[in-house]
Amino acid sequence: MAADRLSLHLRVRHPGFELEVAEELPLEGFTAVFGPSGSGKSTLLRAVAGFETPLNGRIVWNGEVWFDAAAGVNLAPHRRPVGFMFQDGRLFPHLNVAGNLAFAYRRRQGAGPARDEVVAALDLGDLLHRRVHDLSGGERQRVALGRTLLRGPSLMLLDEPLAALDRQRKTEILPYLESVPARFRVPTLYVSHDVDEVARLADRVLVLAEGRVQTVGPTAAVMERLDLQPLTGGFEGGVLVEGRLRRHDPRLHLSHVELAGGVLATPLLERLAPGQIVRLRIRARDVALATVRPEGLSIRNVLPGELVEIVDEPETGFVEAFVRLDGEGPPTRLRARITRAAVEDLRLEPGRRVYALIKSVSFESAGPG
């Protein structure tokens, strides 16, 4: 089945800021709209939804024109088959959970999922008779997600739905978000400025800065781009790697993930089953290099490979070193942020055999691949 397509050629102007986008986006799964605060992420989503009217341009979804300035076309938000989920959920406080869901169901735009399917998928059964003010932040967002799905959208627009949640609440709701595109067969544009959320959820990333698109591409490729590092923070550089979950060790609270180059010990991935493909984000700051296999270390993950590239960080004492791990199949590359002094002392250069040392606690699961 061909991917859905969203054609964006638009300009939106606010006092002191202008967003200009010209992209043809194939949408499957999650496409993250990523960038620092003030880059135009939410403005872009609001223009797609019809809450913002561009100065000029066109917005076309699968051949259907939603906005065309030259032709005088501007479909109202309720006529666009989108589901928009805001950061604060915007539930109706005078209704309980069941009432909020019923309100959306009565105003559904397409065939959409059945109410019971959404309730089961998001574990809302025990919440149906609760009032909105009695829900936690994570529960509110689950209800808001369910309400959005019940409108039967052909495109989901999520505007930083986790921004107001603490780390524990984010951890609770992320598995539900991950399941949405595949389970309900609806592509999703997801706004975030959190690199960890993007790494976990997104199949593709559109990076915005100062109202302009910096790049669009697969998440792993975008995360490895050194020129985008200022948008994610100097210490947030890293890579995404994929492997297959081999087994769990509940006693030590570890999981073992097999990939080209070896087996990695990670924090327990208890929601995933052995055999599943796992995507992991490994930060550059958590990778060290050695020229001989070390012994007597607390670090459990020591993987052999070849140093393939060293890139200087201008005006700092650091470099970015890229290592291709040994192994068959598609190559796995790691990225290490090390000092220039280490490069000189260890006589590191492309082609040198090295060992990559990775702390198991540094892994951040990016969910099933």
Side-chain angles (χ1 to χ4, degrees), residues 73-112:
V73 176
N74 187 15
L75 291 187
H78 69 273
R79 294 184 59 197
R80 304 186 189 194
V82 303
F84 201 107
M85 181 175 168
F86 295 90
Q87 185 181 125
D88 58 5
R90 303 199 180 181
L91 300 176
F92 297 118
H94 63 286
L95 299 176
N96 61 13
V97 170
N100 271 276
L101 297 179
F103 180 89
Y105 191 80
R106 289 194 299 269
R107 288 159 177 79
R108 63 199 291 124
Q109 298 160 301

Side-chain angles (χ1 to χ4, degrees), residues 3 16 23 25 41 49 90 108 129 142 152 176 182-183 185 199 239 255 268 275 282 290 359:
E23 296 291 339
L25 300 177
K41 304 183 301 295
R90 303 199 180 181
R108 63 199 291 124
H129 300 294
R142 271 195 284 147
Y176 297 106
R183 181 159 188 168
R185 298 170 296 283
V239 298
S255 295
L268 189 63
I282 305 174
K359 296 180 180 179

Side-chain angles (χ1 to χ4, degrees), residues 248-255 266-270:
H248 296 303
D249 187 338
R251 185 179 69 85
L252 297 178
H253 294 275
L254 293 175
S255 295
T266 78
L268 189 63
L269 305 172
E270 56 187 346

Side-chain angles (χ1 to χ4, degrees), residues 2 25 27 54 73 76 80 86 112 151 167 207 260 263 265 273 276 298 311 313 329 336 352 361 364 368:
L25 300 177
L27 297 185
V73 176
R80 304 186 189 194
F86 295 90
R151 294 196 65 196
R167 189 174 183 84
V207 180
V263 177
Q276 280 191 265
S298 62
V311 182
E313 288 187 6
R352 182 77 186 265
V361 295
E364 297 180 21

